[in-house]
Amino acid sequence: MMTEKRHSPPSMDTVLNVLENQYRRRVLVALLEHNPQDAEDPKTPSDSELADEDLETLRIHMTHTHLPKLEVSGFIEWERDTNSIRKGPNFDEIQPLLELMQNHADELPDGWL
């Protein structure tokens, strides 16, 4: 019997800790419009090309650091078998902040989204 994971609402410290990384922010903002997402396709900077070596390093970081942190926070659910992610039980708690960032992306410093 599988038990359902319960997540308590995140603290502001948890939210800021999760949002401190650009790639985690991009994953969360992408989920605003596309739920679920393919975890194999990390959101890379559109204005620069990553070398294959850098892309592989990013995939490793996504798999071992970023996606687990987002999952533990309850912001995403990560299906490792299919390598897909979808909004988690706490996504609604962070959604207004993500929408604010997305709606004002042109006013934010480079690299914030």
Side-chain angles (χ1 to χ4, degrees):
M1 181 169 122
M2 245 178 129
T3 59
E4 183 178 320
K5 291 181 185 176
R6 297 205 181 261
H7 295 275
S8 59
S11 68
M12 183 61 147
D13 289 341
T14 298
V15 170
L16 293 176
N17 183 274
V18 165
L19 293 177
E20 78 178 341
N21 181 273
Q22 180 180 37
Y23 294 110
R24 291 194 296 263
R25 290 190 301 271
R26 288 178 178 194
V27 166
L28 292 170
V29 168
L31 284 172
L32 289 171
E33 296 179 20
H34 305 286
N35 185 34
Q37 286 283 318
D38 181 357
E40 276 296 314
D41 184 26
K43 303 303 174 202
T44 56
S46 58
D47 57 350
S48 65
E49 300 236 355
L50 291 175
D52 289 343
E53 177 179 299
D54 294 335
L55 188 55
E56 183 59 28
T57 299
L58 175 59
R59 285 190 177 134
I60 290 168
H61 286 289
M62 292 296 285
T63 302
H64 295 287
T65 304
H66 303 311
L67 295 177
K69 182 172 262 197
L70 291 169
E71 184 177 42
V72 166
S73 70
F75 296 134
I76 69 166
E77 291 180 349
W78 178 24
E79 189 65 45
R80 286 167 177 79
D81 294 340
T82 60
N83 210 24
S84 65
I85 56 174
R86 63 184 168 279
K87 294 175 183 175
N90 282 342
F91 190 85
D92 290 345
E93 302 288 336
I94 199 172
Q95 186 168 342
L97 181 56
L98 296 171
E99 289 172 346
L100 183 66
M101 291 169 57
Q102 183 182 42
N103 292 339
H104 295 277
D106 58 334
E107 301 168 40
L108 298 173
D110 290 341
W112 276 37
L113 282 182

